[in-house]
Structures are given as C-alpha cells and as structure tokens.
Amino acid sequence: MAALSGAVVAPRRCALGAGAPAPRRARATVQPVRAVAAPDASAKASPTIVKGQVLHSATKEQLDVVAGLDAFAEEQVVPILKPVDKCWQPQDFLPDPESPDFLDAVRELQKRTKEVPDEYFVCLVGDMITEEALPTYMAMLNTLDGVRDETGAAPTPWGRWTRQWVAEENRHGDLMNKYCWLSGRVDMRQVEVTIQNLIGSGMDPKTENNPYLGFIYTSFQERATKVSHGNTARMAAEYGDDVLGKVCGAIAADESRHEIAYTRIVDEFFRQDPNNAMVCFADMMRKQIVMPAHLMDDGKHGILNSGRNLFNDFSEVAERIGVYDAADYCDIMEHLVERWDIEHREGLRGDAAEAQEYLMKLPNRFRKLSERAAARKAKAPPVRTQFSWIFNREVKV
C-alpha cells in the first residue's frame, strides 16, 4: 500500500460525487474523541460516532465470520508473503558505499536523473512520502476488530500477516528515499518534515474498525498503488533512467502481490456472508476511497502558494502527467465489481439488493462525471505552483 500501501499513494480523493447518499443510520450519541475499546459483540448500545464515523460498526454476524477465518488466513493469505531471503532489498538497486567506485556510481545516478522533469519528481516524492508513513497503516490495520494483533507479537495468522506485510512494505519507502537523496534533485529536509507531519496527522479512511470495510479499502488501495508505481516505472524508463524504472517496477510488483491477499479476504466475505459484504462494499464506494496521504503537509506549501493544499496540488500533478487519475479510480472500481461478481449475486436481502443495484450503476456514472470534470479542467488555464520538495521550483497544476 502506498499506502496502506498504500497507498496509496499518489492518487487523490476524487471530488466528483459518489452517487446516492449513504443510508441513514440509527440514532447515535455523539461523544468526544477518546480511546474506545472494541465492544462486546452481544451488547446492544448506541454506537459511538467521531467525526461522522461510526466506531466498531461490525455486527456480531460479521465478527463471527471473521472469527472463523483463521485457517483460511493461514492457507490463503500468509503464504503470499515472501521469505526474507527471497525478497529484494533497497541496496540491490543502489550504489555500494563500500565500493571504490561509489562516487562514480552516484555521479552516474545523478546524470541519469538530470533530465527527468520536475513534475515527475513531485509525483515520485509524493509516492515516497506516502510509503514512508507506514506506521500509520500498521496502526490502521490494528484498529480492525477481530483481526488486530493484540500483543504486538501475536502468533495468529492475522498478526503475522500484518507485521510481515509491513516489513515488506517498509522496503519501498527506504529505497525511494535513498534514491531521491542520491539524485540531488530533492530538498530532503522538506521531504523529512512532510513525512513527520504526515505520520503525526495519521489518516481517516472511514473504515470504522470494521474488518469488512478495512479489507475492501486495502483491496482498492493496493491496486491503486500498483497502478501509480507502475506508471512511474514506465515514465522513468522513457526519461532515460532505467534503474529508477526498475525501482518503481519492483515496488509495483509487491503491491500487486499484496492486492491478491486483500482481495482474497473479501472474496471469502462474499462467499460466506454476501449480504453484509455487499452492503459494506457499497458503503466504502459511497464514502469514496480517501487516499492514505490526504493529510500531508510540508509547512510551506500554503505560504508559498496563497493557501493552496499540498496534497491536492500533488494529486493534480499526478493526474496531469498520467501517474494516477480519475480514470484509474474508475477502472479499479470496475475491476472490483467484476472481481467480486456483483452482477450475478442472487437471493440478497433488501438492503444488500439495493447496494448491488447501486454498485452496478456506479462505475459508468462515475466515469461520466470524471470525463465532464476532466473536460472542465482542460479549459482552465494551468496554475504555476511552487513545491518545497524540489527547492521551491514551479510546476503546472
């Protein structure tokens, strides 16, 4: 996850309207923000709501399904992880500091990146910062009821998956960070400030401590990060930096493998509990997928650019040069509708049948809205915007 993985990653939250409003929830008592323990599944109390998000929204029926998935996770999820000795490591792609040719190799790296456009580096840095906020994504997974790592070293398949997934993802930010540092094209102190601010701010994916919502979110995000890193890999090769292309390609391959794990989990939700899985899928699509780095802040972007938002501008650059755009968002939505065979689910109860109808119409509706928005943007003059990540140089947004 470029984001969770991953999150993603370069993409922004599309502001195109997600369709029909979410169904009305039962009355609830609004409480101040505080630590909330997972409730007794048999208790019948008003839900706690923080910033419009219902905490611990999984039903007893959903939690019972999750409780029975340990063997499934052991057999179908954990094996997707690679043994450490089979994984690439960041140093495999970087100049060897012990080599007598180290400085020559660094100069060669800088020569390769010299002609890479600033717009590309804005996207690469934004992707890297998203990957570096990994503590947030581990924390997010450990908010999910029924699958959290209760001790930090639990031997359960869910605990092992979370820790080892994080360990694999940790290589992504390390590699991208070192490559950007060696390139000399990036103001690393501003990048480091942005990373610290982002980890400190966290994220709000609106998954409600609910494993159904959480794994639908990660299924979407891993695919989004795969798309984004895949596009930066292709572009790097086109700009003449084959090594950077391999870097981004290796990261995209990890994201693709992790996507398989998360979509398998949701496959099983649909197999055992199609009604709740359908309702939760529609719920996440109505909310729209908030990208992991949506709270990024470098402390300067608004000052340099009359109050503009850093994440929004980074996302606009990514969309303009083709790293990730609204069409990609639509493609992922369409892919998941097909993957989980939404069209052919039969015998659904009322709310799930309504969710099914909504989901079947959503990709086309969203695509039309995104095309209209793109047409409007094409008519608007670009704005020259400074990014502290590239020493306050300007790019078009």
Side-chain angles (χ1 to χ4, degrees):
M1 179 176 186
L4 237 128
S5 148
V8 96
V9 262
R12 66 185 173 89
R13 179 179 182 180
C14 298
L16 301 170
R24 297 181 65 181
R25 299 186 183 276
R27 278 191 179 179
T29 304
V30 178
Q31 303 286 348
V33 178
R34 65 182 189 281
V36 183
D40 180 349
S42 63
K44 292 185 178 178
S46 296
T48 300
I49 296 179
V50 174
K51 292 184 178 179
Q53 180 177 179
V54 179
L55 302 188
H56 306 291
S57 66
T59 64
K60 182 179 184 304
E61 184 181 19
Q62 290 171 287
L63 293 176
D64 286 346
V65 169
V66 173
L69 290 184
D70 278 11
F72 164 83
E74 189 72 63
E75 296 168 6
Q76 298 295 324
V77 178
V78 174
I80 290 172
L81 297 161
K82 283 187 174 182
V84 174
D85 61 357
K86 301 295 184 184
C87 286
W88 58 264
Q89 296 299 333
Q91 188 54 50
D92 297 337
F93 297 90
L94 298 168
D96 181 0
E98 291 186 300
S99 168
D101 299 323
F102 173 67
L103 293 179
D104 290 336
V106 171
R107 281 190 284 270
E108 178 59 30
L109 186 154
Q110 293 184 342
K111 182 179 177 181
R112 289 196 308 269
T113 62
K114 187 175 181 181
E115 301 305 319
V116 176
D118 282 340
E119 289 87 347
Y120 178 91
F121 265 100
V122 166
C123 295
L124 187 70
V125 169
D127 281 0
M128 179 261 283
I129 288 167
T130 304
E131 295 283 355
E132 290 278 46
L134 196 58
T136 297
Y137 314 143
M138 187 173 192
M140 176 265 184
L141 286 176
N142 280 327
T143 69
L144 301 179
D145 294 330
V147 298
R148 65 171 59 88
D149 182 353
E150 296 284 1
T151 69
T156 64
W158 297 112
R160 286 173 13 245
W161 164 262
T162 296
R163 295 192 303 273
Q164 293 175 48
W165 170 81
V166 168
E168 289 191 353
E169 290 276 335
N170 186 64
R171 292 142 55 243
H172 301 172
D174 283 353
L175 175 54
M176 298 173 77
N177 191 309
K178 290 172 182 173
Y179 204 95
C180 286
W181 178 71
L182 289 171
S183 76
R185 294 287 304 277
V186 174
D187 185 336
M188 292 305 299
R189 192 176 196 285
Q190 278 305 114
V191 169
E192 290 156 359
V193 167
T194 312
I195 293 168
Q196 184 172 353
N197 281 334
L198 179 57
I199 295 173
S201 297
M203 63 182 291
D204 183 15
K206 297 182 169 53
T207 49
E208 304 182 356
N209 312 101
N210 184 323
Y212 281 47
L213 298 177
F215 290 131
I216 289 166
Y217 177 88
T218 53
S219 295
F220 194 108
Q221 266 304 321
E222 292 289 357
R223 192 168 184 87
T225 53
K226 176 181 73 173
V227 169
S228 178
H229 288 304
N231 283 330
T232 55
R234 172 181 54 80
M235 290 177 182
E238 291 172 355
Y239 294 137
D241 192 339
D242 291 337
V243 177
L244 182 53
K246 291 176 182 177
V247 165
C248 296
I251 294 169
D254 274 359
E255 305 292 5
S256 181
R257 184 161 46 84
H258 297 158
E259 177 199 354
I260 292 169
Y262 289 121
T263 53
R264 278 185 185 176
I265 295 168
V266 182
D267 288 345
E268 193 65 10
F269 291 159
F270 270 104
R271 189 183 74 81
Q272 294 196 31
D273 187 13
N275 287 295
N276 282 315
M278 189 74 72
V279 169
C280 287
F281 185 22
D283 185 29
M284 285 309 301
M285 293 300 98
R286 285 190 175 99
K287 293 170 180 174
Q288 299 185 17
I289 299 297
V290 179
M291 299 308 161
H294 64 282
L295 298 178
M296 67 165 52
D297 177 24
D298 65 348
K300 286 188 175 181
H301 194 81
I303 297 170
L304 292 171
N305 300 287
S306 303
R308 295 179 67 88
N309 178 273
L310 174 60
F311 180 74
N312 289 345
D313 283 343
F314 151 60
S315 302
E316 289 288 348
V317 175
E319 182 166 352
R320 188 173 65 78
I321 71 171
V323 168
Y324 185 94
D325 59 23
D328 293 315
Y329 187 102
C330 295
D331 289 344
I332 296 170
M333 191 187 305
E334 208 164 52
H335 166 78
L336 294 177
V337 166
E338 293 177 2
R339 163 80 192 215
W340 294 324
D341 198 21
I342 301 305
E343 181 179 2
H344 299 109
R345 303 279 173 180
E346 296 180 348
L348 299 171
R349 70 189 185 213
D351 57 346
E354 290 177 7
Q356 179 186 39
E357 183 179 1
Y358 166 77
L359 289 166
M360 288 307 303
K361 294 177 180 177
L362 185 59
N364 284 339
R365 179 178 183 182
F366 206 97
R367 199 175 295 281
K368 289 177 182 177
L369 289 170
S370 67
E371 288 170 355
R372 291 174 192 163
R376 287 195 297 271
K377 284 183 181 180
K379 295 177 182 178
V383 177
R384 303 290 301 183
T385 303
Q386 292 178 273
F387 282 85
S388 70
W389 302 338
I390 52 172
F391 301 101
N392 298 342
R393 292 193 296 272
E394 291 183 344
V395 300
K396 294 178 182 177
V397 302

